[in-house]
Amino acid sequence: MTLIKSISGIRGTIGGAQGDNLTPIDVVRFTTAYARLIASRNAGRRIKIVVGRDARLSGPMVAPLVEGTLLAAGADVIDAGLCTTPGTEMAVIAEEADGGIIITASHNPRQWNALKLLDANGEFLSDAEGRQVLALAEECGYDYPAVDAIGRVLKRFDFNDEHIRRVLALPAVDVEAVRRRRFRVVIDAVNSVGGVVMPKLLRELGCEVIELNCEPTGEFAHNPEPLPENLTAISEAVVREKADLGIVVDPDVDRLAFVSEDGSMFVEEYTLVAVADYILSRRAGNTVSNLSSSRALRDVTERRGGRYEASAVGEVNVVRTMKETGAVIGGEGNGGVIYPELHYGRDALVGTALFLTYLAEKGTTMTELRKSYPAYYASKNKIELTPAIDVDKVLLEMKHRYAAERVTDIDGVKIDFPTSWVHLRKSNTEPIVRVYTEARTMAEAEALAQRFIAEIREICQL
């Protein structure tokens, strides 16, 4: 059982011992700390917090705890109910709230849940702000307000339709062009909140929709991370249904992956690449992704005359770098598209609408579009953390060993070789060391990964 406190929020498994898992007491403790942080910025007035959740099984238990704690801490609450992560982010802005809490463990399995913490811009707290929350959570003796000062539930509402409306209203989304193509689409929403919004979005775009795992029961039909090994069912369905493409989202709908008409993976790294290519075809500009994302985005950006910048891993880091560079599109190679014209957050709805617009305008197939991009192959591996693994020692040793190469150490260690790279870093969300590699062939990428895994084991004497 695990409790992880990081830049990505407070994430843990349900049940077990307090302090080691995401128990009710831990939910109350960290929600209180968050409310105190937000209140400290708004001295003299009552704060307002939006709360939304995905459909995972523990949501109906965690959500009332979060709401009640916020009320007890003197905050007013706007309950968005079953709402995607990007939808909750947008609702914070729309409701002029002081912050938001998204109850979701994103791609983690069913036994996990988490509190994702937002600021008044509907964006994730910075690392410094996150540390303040953790410090406040460790303090003892907080006095909650008396009865006359407790908060109120201002309203309970559904933001999902408004989210769809705003996506379809974007100038870069050509609704009529997509409707003319009459795409036949299979959608896999892993039985979470994506099953509420994605089929509706697709039907608004004139698509013929075949639903797969779209009941928001929280009983994930497969491992919820949208990786090829978890997507065999939709791959088979796309071919069986003679669909133009398949679309996969994770439980909170901030990650997006596509399946081509022949059942092959478009590859989630190329979700952002294709959407960026479309946006850059409309206007010149810069792009940003994190260090673990494909070089293909850099290649496409430079081909379109823009400048590419890499950030540390984590949406908040990508967003900060996008603002610093004035990027017109950005995101993460895990299928997370951030389009500032809508909001600064990974959003599978806007990613889908922009991608379908591009596919419709080009009049091509998924496989043909995929072939138009530089071919890179990624191998994503991990090593479970144990007391025998000193991550800092590993990273420092790797930095010294490969000092002659291009090394970036803003987040772990990334080593760029002429036609490949490796990125070693401690995960923000799981007790693991990630070993990501990319090369011109899968065999090369996997060989590079195994080489570095062996070196790590050698350093740690495993």
Side-chain angles (χ1 to χ4, degrees):
M1 307 296 273
T2 308
L3 183 67
I4 299 174
K5 297 164 279 189
S6 75
I7 194 172
S8 298
I10 313 302
R11 187 177 302 228
T13 46
I14 298 298
Q18 174 192 345
D20 293 329
N21 310 274
L22 192 62
T23 68
I25 293 173
D26 293 294
V27 171
V28 170
R29 185 161 61 100
F30 289 110
T31 302
T32 299
Y34 169 74
R36 291 178 64 190
L37 173 71
I38 301 302
S40 70
R41 299 174 170 179
N42 298 276
R45 71 172 183 83
R46 180 172 288 179
I47 61 172
K48 181 168 57 176
I49 305 296
V50 174
V51 178
R53 69 175 179 90
D54 70 13
R56 64 182 59 234
L57 294 171
S58 56
M61 180 272 287
V62 176
L65 289 169
V66 168
E67 180 180 298
T69 302
L70 290 171
L71 298 178
D76 289 337
V77 172
I78 297 173
D79 177 17
L82 278 178
C83 192
T84 66
T85 283
T88 307
E89 292 168 350
M90 292 174 64
V92 169
I93 303 168
E95 296 295 320
E96 299 182 339
D98 301 293
I101 297 180
I102 312 163
I103 302 166
T104 174
S106 193
H107 64 275
N108 288 97
R110 67 199 291 275
Q111 68 270 29
W112 289 77
N113 214 328
L115 309 179
K116 290 186 176 183
L117 308 176
L118 305 176
D119 63 16
N121 295 316
E123 299 166 16
F124 290 118
L125 298 185
S126 68
D127 184 55
E129 292 166 330
R131 292 181 190 279
Q132 284 183 268
V133 170
L134 299 183
L136 288 169
E138 294 303 317
E139 291 184 4
C140 299
Y142 173 64
D143 289 333
Y144 289 89
V147 65
D148 291 330
I150 63 174
R152 299 170 298 144
V153 177
L154 299 181
K155 65 177 177 178
R156 302 188 190 279
F157 78 131
D158 186 332
F159 192 78
N160 296 315
D161 286 346
E162 177 63 11
H163 187 179
I164 291 171
R165 187 195 69 77
R166 293 187 182 201
V167 167
L168 298 180
L170 290 167
V173 175
D174 191 335
V175 175
E176 293 307 315
V178 178
R179 286 174 177 168
R180 286 193 296 271
R181 277 295 301 268
R182 298 179 60 83
F183 289 115
R184 185 172 169 84
V185 182
V186 180
I187 171 68
D188 182 351
V190 74
N191 288 333
S192 190
V193 69
V196 176
V197 294
M198 291 301 295
K200 184 176 290 188
L201 170 70
L202 292 168
R203 291 188 174 103
E204 288 284 342
L205 287 165
C207 299
E208 182 181 352
V209 181
I210 298 103
E211 297 184 15
L212 188 67
N213 306 320
C214 284
E215 290 294 323
T217 62
E219 287 287 3
F220 302 150
H222 53 78
N223 185 309
E225 189 163 12
L227 300 177
E229 58 267 29
N230 303 327
L231 305 180
T232 55
I234 189 171
S235 179
E236 293 168 357
V238 166
V239 175
R240 182 177 64 250
E241 299 290 343
K242 296 182 172 57
D244 295 293
L245 72 156
I247 297 175
V248 184
V249 294
D250 66 337
D252 66 328
V253 202
D254 61 359
R255 290 175 61 175
L256 174 65
F258 295 111
V259 180
S260 297
E261 77 280 1
D262 62 353
S264 65
M265 297 297 114
F266 194 80
V267 181
E268 65 172 353
E269 286 282 350
Y270 284 81
T271 297
L272 175 58
V273 173
V275 173
D277 190 30
Y278 169 55
I279 295 301
L280 294 173
S281 73
R282 292 172 52 89
R283 58 179 294 196
N286 302 324
T287 67
V288 172
S289 64
N290 66 43
L291 285 169
S292 286
S293 300
S294 176
R295 269 188 193 173
L297 179 61
R298 182 196 68 181
D299 294 350
V300 166
T301 303
E302 292 176 350
R303 186 175 70 194
R304 294 285 188 182
R307 179 167 60 89
Y308 166 79
E309 190 78 28
S311 77
V313 174
E315 183 174 315
V316 65
N317 297 317
V318 175
V319 166
R320 183 177 62 250
T321 305
M322 288 180 69
K323 290 179 177 180
E324 291 171 351
T325 61
V328 297
I329 188 76
E332 298 186 290
N334 59 12
V337 174
I338 301 174
Y339 185 50
E341 291 295 316
L342 185 65
H343 69 116
Y344 275 104
R346 294 181 301 172
D347 190 327
L349 280 78
V350 76
T352 294
L354 293 172
F355 184 91
L356 290 179
T357 296
Y358 196 34
L359 193 64
E361 290 187 353
K362 289 185 75 70
T364 189
T365 64
M366 294 286 288
T367 51
E368 289 169 345
L369 181 62
R370 178 66 176 79
K371 288 176 184 176
S372 70
Y373 297 122
Y376 292 105
Y377 295 84
S379 179
K380 298 184 178 183
N381 296 271
K382 57 188 179 183
I383 300 175
E384 298 289 338
L385 289 177
T386 70
I389 299 179
D390 183 336
V391 179
D392 293 332
K393 176 184 175 183
V394 169
L395 298 181
L396 184 61
E397 174 64 21
M398 287 299 184
K399 183 179 176 180
H400 290 157
R401 285 189 182 190
Y402 292 94
E405 306 293 342
R406 179 182 173 187
V407 176
T408 307
D409 62 358
I410 61 172
D411 183 4
V413 171
K414 183 175 183 180
I415 304 163
D416 275 288
F417 301 104
T419 60
S420 62
W421 55 258
V422 59
H423 188 198
L424 310 171
R425 61 180 295 273
K426 185 177 180 179
S427 171
N428 288 331
T429 58
E430 299 175 73
I432 59 175
V433 172
R434 298 192 185 277
V435 181
Y436 285 4
T437 58
E438 185 177 71
R440 289 292 190 176
T441 69
M442 181 57 77
E444 291 178 74
E446 291 178 345
L448 186 62
Q450 292 308 311
R451 168 181 146 193
F452 274 85
I453 289 172
E455 289 193 34
I456 290 172
R457 296 189 182 283
E458 171 203 329
I459 293 169
C460 299
Q461 298 180 337
L462 297 180

mmCIF file of all heavy atoms in Angstrom, residues 290-295 308 310 395 405-416 420-424 436 438:
data_model
loop_
_atom_site.group_PDB
_atom_site.id
_atom_site.type_symbol
_atom_site.label_atom_id
_atom_site.label_comp_id
_atom_site.label_asym_id
_atom_site.label_seq_id
_atom_site.Cartn_x
_atom_site.Cartn_y
_atom_site.Cartn_z
ATOM 1 N N ASN A 290 7.792 17.648 -22.583
ATOM 2 C CA ASN A 290 8.756 17.362 -21.517
ATOM 3 C C ASN A 290 9.925 16.526 -22.031
ATOM 4 O O ASN A 290 9.926 16.046 -23.162
ATOM 5 C CB ASN A 290 8.067 16.697 -20.321
ATOM 6 C CG ASN A 290 7.536 15.315 -20.636
ATOM 7 O OD1 ASN A 290 8.189 14.498 -21.286
ATOM 8 N ND2 ASN A 290 6.333 15.033 -20.170
ATOM 9 N N LEU A 291 10.915 16.367 -21.183
ATOM 10 C CA LEU A 291 12.148 15.681 -21.569
ATOM 11 C C LEU A 291 11.935 14.240 -22.000
ATOM 12 O O LEU A 291 12.745 13.694 -22.754
ATOM 13 C CB LEU A 291 13.140 15.704 -20.395
ATOM 14 C CG LEU A 291 13.840 17.030 -20.102
ATOM 15 C CD1 LEU A 291 14.570 16.945 -18.764
ATOM 16 C CD2 LEU A 291 14.813 17.385 -21.216
ATOM 17 N N SER A 292 10.855 13.622 -21.524
ATOM 18 C CA SER A 292 10.608 12.218 -21.862
ATOM 19 C C SER A 292 9.813 12.048 -23.148
ATOM 20 O O SER A 292 9.460 10.930 -23.504
ATOM 21 C CB SER A 292 9.864 11.524 -20.708
ATOM 22 O OG SER A 292 10.736 11.295 -19.623
ATOM 23 N N SER A 293 9.519 13.138 -23.841
ATOM 24 C CA SER A 293 8.688 13.066 -25.048
ATOM 25 C C SER A 293 9.544 12.907 -26.304
ATOM 26 O O SER A 293 10.737 13.206 -26.314
ATOM 27 C CB SER A 293 7.824 14.320 -25.164
ATOM 28 O OG SER A 293 6.979 14.444 -24.045
ATOM 29 N N SER A 294 8.898 12.492 -27.372
ATOM 30 C CA SER A 294 9.592 12.153 -28.613
ATOM 31 C C SER A 294 10.275 13.347 -29.278
ATOM 32 O O SER A 294 9.788 14.479 -29.223
ATOM 33 C CB SER A 294 8.599 11.540 -29.603
ATOM 34 O OG SER A 294 9.224 11.288 -30.847
ATOM 35 N N ARG A 295 11.388 13.051 -29.961
ATOM 36 C CA ARG A 295 12.067 14.047 -30.773
ATOM 37 C C ARG A 295 11.229 14.468 -31.978
ATOM 38 O O ARG A 295 11.496 15.491 -32.601
ATOM 39 C CB ARG A 295 13.387 13.480 -31.304
ATOM 40 C CG ARG A 295 14.567 13.728 -30.430
ATOM 41 C CD ARG A 295 15.849 13.310 -31.131
ATOM 42 N NE ARG A 295 16.948 13.257 -30.171
ATOM 43 C CZ ARG A 295 18.144 12.804 -30.465
ATOM 44 N NH1 ARG A 295 18.413 12.352 -31.685
ATOM 45 N NH2 ARG A 295 19.098 12.795 -29.545
ATOM 46 N N TYR A 308 11.516 24.640 -30.653
ATOM 47 C CA TYR A 308 11.068 23.645 -29.676
ATOM 48 C C TYR A 308 11.847 23.802 -28.387
ATOM 49 O O TYR A 308 13.054 24.044 -28.392
ATOM 50 C CB TYR A 308 11.265 22.231 -30.228
ATOM 51 C CG TYR A 308 11.137 21.163 -29.172
ATOM 52 C CD1 TYR A 308 9.887 20.754 -28.731
ATOM 53 C CD2 TYR A 308 12.276 20.594 -28.582
ATOM 54 C CE1 TYR A 308 9.759 19.791 -27.724
ATOM 55 C CE2 TYR A 308 12.155 19.638 -27.591
ATOM 56 C CZ TYR A 308 10.901 19.242 -27.163
ATOM 57 O OH TYR A 308 10.779 18.296 -26.176
ATOM 58 N N ALA A 310 12.248 21.915 -24.351
ATOM 59 C CA ALA A 310 11.903 20.798 -23.465
ATOM 60 C C ALA A 310 11.812 21.296 -22.030
ATOM 61 O O ALA A 310 12.598 22.140 -21.600
ATOM 62 C CB ALA A 310 12.934 19.687 -23.562
ATOM 63 N N LEU A 395 21.839 8.629 -10.561
ATOM 64 C CA LEU A 395 21.778 9.716 -11.525
ATOM 65 C C LEU A 395 23.111 10.469 -11.602
ATOM 66 O O LEU A 395 23.562 10.843 -12.692
ATOM 67 C CB LEU A 395 20.642 10.672 -11.164
ATOM 68 C CG LEU A 395 19.230 10.071 -11.188
ATOM 69 C CD1 LEU A 395 18.192 11.125 -10.829
ATOM 70 C CD2 LEU A 395 18.908 9.461 -12.547
ATOM 71 N N GLU A 405 28.629 13.408 -23.645
ATOM 72 C CA GLU A 405 27.412 13.552 -24.459
ATOM 73 C C GLU A 405 26.640 14.792 -24.001
ATOM 74 O O GLU A 405 27.005 15.450 -23.027
ATOM 75 C CB GLU A 405 26.535 12.302 -24.305
ATOM 76 C CG GLU A 405 27.237 10.990 -24.590
ATOM 77 C CD GLU A 405 27.635 10.827 -26.044
ATOM 78 O OE1 GLU A 405 27.077 11.552 -26.906
ATOM 79 O OE2 GLU A 405 28.506 9.981 -26.323
ATOM 80 N N ARG A 406 25.546 15.082 -24.700
ATOM 81 C CA ARG A 406 24.688 16.188 -24.289
ATOM 82 C C ARG A 406 23.817 15.701 -23.131
ATOM 83 O O ARG A 406 22.943 14.843 -23.311
ATOM 84 C CB ARG A 406 23.819 16.637 -25.458
ATOM 85 C CG ARG A 406 22.880 17.781 -25.111
ATOM 86 C CD ARG A 406 22.010 18.154 -26.290
ATOM 87 N NE ARG A 406 21.000 19.126 -25.911
ATOM 88 C CZ ARG A 406 20.021 19.535 -26.714
ATOM 89 N NH1 ARG A 406 19.950 19.068 -27.951
ATOM 90 N NH2 ARG A 406 19.139 20.408 -26.296
ATOM 91 N N VAL A 407 24.037 16.236 -21.942
ATOM 92 C CA VAL A 407 23.330 15.801 -20.738
ATOM 93 C C VAL A 407 22.471 16.942 -20.205
ATOM 94 O O VAL A 407 22.937 18.075 -20.081
ATOM 95 C CB VAL A 407 24.318 15.328 -19.652
ATOM 96 C CG1 VAL A 407 23.570 14.968 -18.373
ATOM 97 C CG2 VAL A 407 25.140 14.145 -20.149
ATOM 98 N N THR A 408 21.212 16.636 -19.906
ATOM 99 C CA THR A 408 20.290 17.597 -19.299
ATOM 100 C C THR A 408 19.872 17.055 -17.939
ATOM 101 O O THR A 408 19.433 15.909 -17.842
ATOM 102 C CB THR A 408 19.039 17.801 -20.179
ATOM 103 O OG1 THR A 408 19.446 18.144 -21.502
ATOM 104 C CG2 THR A 408 18.164 18.900 -19.616
ATOM 105 N N ASP A 409 19.991 17.876 -16.903
ATOM 106 C CA ASP A 409 19.705 17.371 -15.552
ATOM 107 C C ASP A 409 18.656 18.205 -14.822
ATOM 108 O O ASP A 409 18.636 18.236 -13.585
ATOM 109 C CB ASP A 409 20.979 17.277 -14.728
ATOM 110 C CG ASP A 409 21.658 18.624 -14.523
ATOM 111 O OD1 ASP A 409 21.148 19.636 -15.061
ATOM 112 O OD2 ASP A 409 22.687 18.673 -13.835
ATOM 113 N N ILE A 410 17.753 18.874 -15.554
ATOM 114 C CA ILE A 410 16.692 19.631 -14.883
ATOM 115 C C ILE A 410 15.641 18.718 -14.276
ATOM 116 O O ILE A 410 14.846 19.142 -13.431
ATOM 117 C CB ILE A 410 16.018 20.638 -15.850
ATOM 118 C CG1 ILE A 410 15.366 19.901 -17.030
ATOM 119 C CG2 ILE A 410 17.001 21.686 -16.314
ATOM 120 C CD1 ILE A 410 14.526 20.803 -17.910
ATOM 121 N N ASP A 411 15.630 17.462 -14.687
ATOM 122 C CA ASP A 411 14.671 16.482 -14.149
ATOM 123 C C ASP A 411 15.260 15.101 -14.353
ATOM 124 O O ASP A 411 15.140 14.514 -15.425
ATOM 125 C CB ASP A 411 13.339 16.606 -14.882
ATOM 126 C CG ASP A 411 12.273 15.671 -14.321
ATOM 127 O OD1 ASP A 411 12.552 14.990 -13.320
ATOM 128 O OD2 ASP A 411 11.166 15.616 -14.884
ATOM 129 N N GLY A 412 15.937 14.586 -13.315
ATOM 130 C CA GLY A 412 16.668 13.345 -13.506
ATOM 131 C C GLY A 412 17.854 13.610 -14.413
ATOM 132 O O GLY A 412 18.468 14.679 -14.384
ATOM 133 N N VAL A 413 18.167 12.649 -15.260
ATOM 134 C CA VAL A 413 19.267 12.804 -16.217
ATOM 135 C C VAL A 413 18.801 12.333 -17.584
ATOM 136 O O VAL A 413 18.343 11.196 -17.735
ATOM 137 C CB VAL A 413 20.513 11.996 -15.780
ATOM 138 C CG1 VAL A 413 21.571 11.992 -16.878
ATOM 139 C CG2 VAL A 413 21.099 12.572 -14.499
ATOM 140 N N LYS A 414 18.900 13.213 -18.588
ATOM 141 C CA LYS A 414 18.639 12.828 -19.968
ATOM 142 C C LYS A 414 19.937 12.921 -20.743
ATOM 143 O O LYS A 414 20.633 13.940 -20.679
ATOM 144 C CB LYS A 414 17.586 13.710 -20.619
ATOM 145 C CG LYS A 414 17.254 13.249 -22.048
ATOM 146 C CD LYS A 414 16.120 14.043 -22.676
ATOM 147 C CE LYS A 414 15.788 13.495 -24.057
ATOM 148 N NZ LYS A 414 14.684 14.260 -24.697
ATOM 149 N N ILE A 415 20.246 11.847 -21.462
ATOM 150 C CA ILE A 415 21.474 11.784 -22.246
ATOM 151 C C ILE A 415 21.075 11.686 -23.714
ATOM 152 O O ILE A 415 20.413 10.715 -24.138
ATOM 153 C CB ILE A 415 22.332 10.578 -21.848
ATOM 154 C CG1 ILE A 415 22.623 10.628 -20.344
ATOM 155 C CG2 ILE A 415 23.628 10.553 -22.648
ATOM 156 C CD1 ILE A 415 23.097 9.311 -19.764
ATOM 157 N N ASP A 416 21.453 12.693 -24.494
ATOM 158 C CA ASP A 416 21.147 12.717 -25.928
ATOM 159 C C ASP A 416 22.337 12.208 -26.720
ATOM 160 O O ASP A 416 23.442 12.778 -26.660
ATOM 161 C CB ASP A 416 20.800 14.137 -26.378
ATOM 162 C CG ASP A 416 19.346 14.480 -26.150
ATOM 163 O OD1 ASP A 416 18.498 13.950 -26.877
ATOM 164 O OD2 ASP A 416 19.054 15.277 -25.218
ATOM 165 N N SER A 420 19.592 8.840 -30.805
ATOM 166 C CA SER A 420 18.797 8.223 -29.740
ATOM 167 C C SER A 420 18.979 9.025 -28.456
ATOM 168 O O SER A 420 19.809 9.928 -28.385
ATOM 169 C CB SER A 420 19.220 6.766 -29.520
ATOM 170 O OG SER A 420 20.585 6.706 -29.111
ATOM 171 N N TRP A 421 18.182 8.678 -27.433
ATOM 172 C CA TRP A 421 18.352 9.285 -26.123
ATOM 173 C C TRP A 421 17.831 8.348 -25.046
ATOM 174 O O TRP A 421 17.039 7.435 -25.314
ATOM 175 C CB TRP A 421 17.671 10.651 -26.021
ATOM 176 C CG TRP A 421 16.202 10.733 -26.361
ATOM 177 C CD1 TRP A 421 15.655 11.194 -27.516
ATOM 178 C CD2 TRP A 421 15.089 10.363 -25.520
ATOM 179 N NE1 TRP A 421 14.285 11.134 -27.465
ATOM 180 C CE2 TRP A 421 13.903 10.639 -26.253
ATOM 181 C CE3 TRP A 421 14.975 9.843 -24.234
ATOM 182 C CZ2 TRP A 421 12.623 10.399 -25.730
ATOM 183 C CZ3 TRP A 421 13.709 9.596 -23.717
ATOM 184 C CH2 TRP A 421 12.552 9.874 -24.459
ATOM 185 N N VAL A 422 18.273 8.606 -23.806
ATOM 186 C CA VAL A 422 17.760 7.895 -22.646
ATOM 187 C C VAL A 422 17.454 8.923 -21.566
ATOM 188 O O VAL A 422 18.200 9.892 -21.389
ATOM 189 C CB VAL A 422 18.753 6.838 -22.123
ATOM 190 C CG1 VAL A 422 20.082 7.476 -21.722
ATOM 191 C CG2 VAL A 422 18.173 6.060 -20.951
ATOM 192 N N HIS A 423 16.331 8.737 -20.873
ATOM 193 C CA HIS A 423 15.959 9.630 -19.781
ATOM 194 C C HIS A 423 15.711 8.782 -18.544
ATOM 195 O O HIS A 423 14.876 7.882 -18.549
ATOM 196 C CB HIS A 423 14.689 10.416 -20.149
ATOM 197 C CG HIS A 423 14.355 11.485 -19.151
ATOM 198 N ND1 HIS A 423 13.104 12.063 -19.052
ATOM 199 C CD2 HIS A 423 15.102 12.095 -18.184
ATOM 200 C CE1 HIS A 423 13.106 12.971 -18.108
ATOM 201 N NE2 HIS A 423 14.305 13.007 -17.562
ATOM 202 N N LEU A 424 16.452 9.084 -17.491
ATOM 203 C CA LEU A 424 16.346 8.366 -16.223
ATOM 204 C C LEU A 424 15.796 9.328 -15.176
ATOM 205 O O LEU A 424 16.346 10.417 -14.974
ATOM 206 C CB LEU A 424 17.721 7.872 -15.775
ATOM 207 C CG LEU A 424 18.558 7.118 -16.810
ATOM 208 C CD1 LEU A 424 19.965 6.885 -16.276
ATOM 209 C CD2 LEU A 424 17.900 5.802 -17.169
ATOM 210 N N TYR A 436 13.349 5.655 -19.831
ATOM 211 C CA TYR A 436 12.741 5.884 -21.139
ATOM 212 C C TYR A 436 13.847 6.050 -22.175
ATOM 213 O O TYR A 436 14.822 6.768 -21.946
ATOM 214 C CB TYR A 436 11.890 7.149 -21.129
ATOM 215 C CG TYR A 436 10.560 7.032 -20.424
ATOM 216 C CD1 TYR A 436 10.175 5.866 -19.757
ATOM 217 C CD2 TYR A 436 9.671 8.098 -20.406
ATOM 218 C CE1 TYR A 436 8.956 5.766 -19.115
ATOM 219 C CE2 TYR A 436 8.442 8.015 -19.758
ATOM 220 C CZ TYR A 436 8.092 6.853 -19.112
ATOM 221 O OH TYR A 436 6.885 6.761 -18.472
ATOM 222 N N GLU A 438 14.581 6.298 -26.672
ATOM 223 C CA GLU A 438 14.011 6.467 -28.006
ATOM 224 C C GLU A 438 15.129 6.329 -29.028
ATOM 225 O O GLU A 438 16.247 6.798 -28.804
ATOM 226 C CB GLU A 438 13.330 7.828 -28.152
ATOM 227 C CG GLU A 438 12.624 8.000 -29.497
ATOM 228 C CD GLU A 438 11.894 9.327 -29.608
ATOM 229 O OE1 GLU A 438 12.570 10.367 -29.719
ATOM 230 O OE2 GLU A 438 10.644 9.316 -29.583
#
